[in-house]
């Protein structure tokens, strides 16, 4: 499973920075929430949204339609992935993830076709995601569909608002084929988006009259929301202009910066663990930075930069990393043992590379942790270990005198070659 954050990929050109490891964008993790939860937060922040109700059964979906009181509504699968409108149910390709309905019975039928089923979209991968709930939202008079997204541009050290006339389509495709159709405005987080910036964007989007006034209210509110909630990304696709000139968020894809969650403990209640990779949740509970990937070589490294380099060099020598795992500078025996349990629980893992540069965490500490982990977990696949840094000789001696079956490596290149060969064998 490789999470896809199209906006971050576009802005930061992550694959250009790490060209050898296409899956390396995965470590850019943040807490995601569902569309309906995002719209609840939007409403509090003054960002216009339509009325809607969550449903966890077909009967609840029918009741939600009746409660809305309109002649049309939309039933939307709630999963942590985009592209739901074009997504399909695995065993029923005719069933889409977003369905327009005109009666309570149609709402019931749409929900029945989605709930408990596996939805596959462009962002879920072939395995898809199980739909546990649907959002029944009121319809509206759509005059235009636009795109809006905000991320933090690290090069500019400030948020960047991006808009496009190409709403309702795959923004990844627009960014790749017609990047000139995406218009950007960086803004000062302390000041927010300014009026002249809204006017510039409205001119490029062809928005005028009452819609321009609505755009000012909407864009300034969403930019303020992004900062106030410490978002990593906020995406609305489509953002619509109604027949009366109002601007409304017809979607809400929001992720929050994990490092800022101590300021927003109420947001942690919105976390849906059923949408997350179980091994990643387990690692997070143990204080480990872990992301599951699709390769067969497990990586246990201290330091995010070294972990990225390790994945790159494995890829360079013909292997595929099975994960990103940073045990951090203060790793102890308990964390290393749990790290091995997580790595070895992956049936695709055919070998493990331990790449440690001892600084805060001495090589002797890591060696002791490896010895303890071997007794507790038991290494069932080839283990290549490269130690360097503080107390490296002592650490190597500890491993050599232990009963742990280790393939020693002299440097990172040697380690990569040995683990690729061992995993292939």
């Amino acid at each position: 499973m490789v999470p896809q954050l199209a906006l971050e990929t576009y802005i930061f050109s992550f694959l250009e920075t790490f060209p050898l490891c296409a899956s390396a964008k995965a470590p850019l993790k943040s807490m995601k929430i569902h569309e309906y939860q995002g719209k609840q937060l939007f409403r509090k922040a003054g960002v216009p949204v339509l009325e809607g109700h969550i449903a966890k059964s077909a009967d609840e979906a029918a009741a939600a339609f009746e409660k809305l009181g309109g002649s049309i509504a939309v039933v939307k699968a709630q999963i942590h992935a985009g592209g739901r409108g074009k997504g399909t149910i695995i065993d029923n390709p005719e069933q889409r993830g977003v369905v327009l309905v005109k009666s309570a019975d149609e709402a019931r039928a749409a929900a029945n076709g989605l709930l408990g089923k596996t939805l596959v979209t462009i962002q879920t991968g072939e395995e898809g995601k199980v739909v546990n709930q649907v959002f029944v939202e009121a319809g509206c008079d759509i005059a235009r569909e636009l795109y809006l997204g905000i991320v933090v541009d690290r090069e500019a050290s400030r948020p960047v608002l991006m808009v496009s006339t190409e709403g309702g389509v795959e923004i990844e495709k627009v960014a790749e084929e017609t990047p000139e159709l995406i218009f950007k405005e960086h803004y000062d987080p302390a000041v927010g988006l300014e009026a002249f910036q809204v006017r510039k964007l409205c001119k490029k989007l062809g928005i005028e009259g009452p819609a321009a006034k609505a755009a000012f209210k909407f864009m300034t509110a969403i930019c303020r929301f992004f900062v106030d909630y410490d978002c990593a990304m906020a995406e609305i696709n489509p953002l619509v202009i109604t027949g009366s000139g109002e601007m409304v968020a017809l979607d809400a894809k929001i992720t929050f910066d994990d490092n800022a969650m101590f300021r927003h403990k109420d947001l942690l209640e919105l976390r849906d663990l059923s949408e997350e990779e179980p091994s990643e949740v387990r690692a997070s509970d143990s204080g480990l930075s872990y992301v599951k990937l699709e390769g067969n070589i497990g990586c246990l490294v201290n330091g995010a930069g070294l972990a990225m380099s390790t994945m790159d060099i494995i890829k360079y020598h013909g292997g595929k990393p099975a994960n990103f795992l940073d045990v951090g500078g203060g790793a102890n025996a308990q964390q290393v043992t749990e790290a091995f349990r997580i790595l070895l629980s992956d049936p695709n893992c055919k070998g493990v590379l331990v790449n440690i540069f001892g600084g805060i965490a001495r090589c002797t500490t890591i060696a002791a942790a490896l010895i303890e982990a071997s007794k507790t977990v038991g290494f069932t696949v080839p283990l290549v270990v490269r130690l360097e840094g503080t107390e490296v000789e002592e650490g190597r001696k500890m491993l050599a005198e232990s009963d742990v079956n280790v393939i020693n490596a002299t440097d990172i290149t040697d380690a990569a070659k040995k683990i690729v060969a061992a995993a292939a064998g």
Side-chain angles (χ1 to χ4, degrees):
M1 180 189 74
V2 181
Q4 296 190 17
L5 297 182
L7 286 175
E8 291 187 355
T9 303
Y10 172 65
I11 287 295
F12 307 131
S13 300
F14 203 83
L15 297 183
E16 292 180 7
T17 307
F18 299 98
L20 301 176
C21 186
S23 57
K25 63 184 175 182
L28 290 177
K29 285 183 63 67
S30 49
M31 192 187 90
K32 301 179 183 179
I33 59 174
H34 289 292
E35 172 194 359
Y36 79 93
Q37 296 170 319
K39 287 182 174 177
Q40 290 171 353
L41 296 177
F42 277 176
R43 183 175 282 110
K44 291 180 183 179
V47 178
V49 295
L50 300 173
E51 184 181 357
H53 304 284
I54 198 69
K56 296 186 178 181
S57 71
D59 287 341
E60 287 182 6
F65 182 93
E66 297 285 2
K67 189 174 182 180
L68 290 173
S71 58
I72 62 170
V74 181
V75 178
K76 302 180 178 182
Q78 296 297 284
I79 60 172
H80 286 176
R84 292 166 297 158
K86 294 182 179 180
T88 58
I89 296 298
I90 282 183
D91 56 358
N92 182 14
E94 299 301 316
Q95 177 68 62
R96 299 290 182 174
V98 177
V99 184
L100 180 69
V101 297
K102 298 181 179 180
S103 69
D105 287 339
E106 288 186 11
R108 180 183 287 106
N112 193 52
L114 290 170
L115 291 168
K117 310 297 195 305
T118 302
L119 180 65
V120 177
T121 79
I122 189 175
Q123 293 189 9
T124 63
E126 295 180 357
E127 69 275 13
K129 285 182 175 289
V130 176
V131 180
N132 295 315
Q133 50 198 344
V134 296
F135 186 48
V136 184
E137 187 174 51
C140 71
D141 176 20
I142 300 175
R144 288 187 66 189
E145 291 189 356
L146 306 171
Y147 170 87
L148 182 148
I150 311 174
V151 293
V152 177
D153 185 343
R154 287 176 173 82
E155 289 187 3
S157 299
R158 59 179 54 199
V160 56
L161 170 67
M162 296 174 291
V163 294
S164 176
T165 56
E166 306 303 297
V169 300
E170 297 163 12
I171 194 62
E172 300 96 325
K173 188 174 181 180
V174 177
E176 181 180 352
E177 298 179 1
T178 54
E180 68 276 6
L181 296 180
I182 298 178
F183 311 114
K184 298 179 286 186
E185 283 292 326
H186 293 81
Y187 65 93
D188 186 332
V191 176
L193 193 71
E194 300 191 66
F196 78 91
Q197 294 179 295
V198 177
R199 289 194 294 270
K200 283 171 61 179
L201 293 175
C202 284
K203 184 176 181 180
K204 291 177 179 178
L205 294 171
I207 298 175
E208 54 188 20
K213 184 177 180 180
F216 174 78
K217 176 183 176 182
F218 190 100
M219 291 183 185
T220 53
I222 190 67
C223 287
R224 184 170 58 251
F225 168 88
F226 184 87
V227 174
D228 289 347
Y229 281 84
D230 288 302
C231 296
M233 181 184 74
E235 183 180 35
I236 302 170
N237 189 22
L239 165 65
V240 302
I241 297 177
T242 66
S244 60
E246 293 300 312
M247 187 170 276
V248 179
L250 220 58
D251 189 22
K253 186 177 180 182
I254 303 169
T255 60
F256 302 101
D257 184 348
D258 281 347
N259 296 315
M261 284 299 97
F262 71 94
R263 288 199 289 259
H264 307 281
K265 294 186 178 178
D266 55 319
L267 295 179
L268 294 175
E269 299 175 2
L270 304 180
R271 187 180 180 188
D272 185 351
L273 296 180
S274 68
E275 288 285 328
E276 300 183 32
E277 169 63 40
S279 57
E280 294 178 6
V281 176
R282 180 177 173 183
S284 177
D285 291 341
S286 299
L288 303 169
S289 297
Y290 172 86
V291 179
K292 180 175 169 57
L293 303 176
E294 296 176 339
N296 64 348
I297 296 176
C299 304
L300 191 155
V301 191
N302 67 326
L306 184 58
M308 300 296 284
S309 299
T310 301
M311 291 193 297
D312 271 355
I313 199 162
I314 287 173
K315 191 78 173 178
Y316 180 78
H317 288 289
K320 291 187 68 176
N323 65 273
F324 167 97
L325 174 58
D326 172 17
V327 297
N332 54 40
Q334 183 178 353
Q335 287 178 307
V336 172
T337 299
E338 182 64 10
F340 272 107
R341 286 198 181 101
I342 293 170
L343 294 180
L344 297 177
S345 68
D346 181 358
N348 296 323
C349 182
K350 304 303 180 185
V352 176
L353 170 57
V354 177
N355 186 18
I356 299 295
F357 187 87
I360 298 174
R362 291 177 169 82
C363 291
T364 50
T365 302
I366 299 298
L370 286 174
I371 295 170
E372 181 62 28
S374 71
K375 297 175 183 177
T376 307
V377 181
F379 300 146
T380 56
V381 298
L383 177 66
V384 174
V385 177
R386 179 255 183 167
L387 295 178
E388 194 57 74
T390 307
E391 297 183 357
V392 62
E393 295 303 329
E394 296 91 330
R396 290 173 180 170
K397 182 179 179 182
M398 289 172 62
L399 288 176
E401 294 176 351
S402 72
D403 295 330
V404 182
N405 187 13
V406 170
I407 301 172
N408 289 303
T410 56
D411 54 42
I412 189 170
T413 299
D414 183 46
K417 290 180 178 178
K418 286 180 176 177
I419 192 59
V420 170

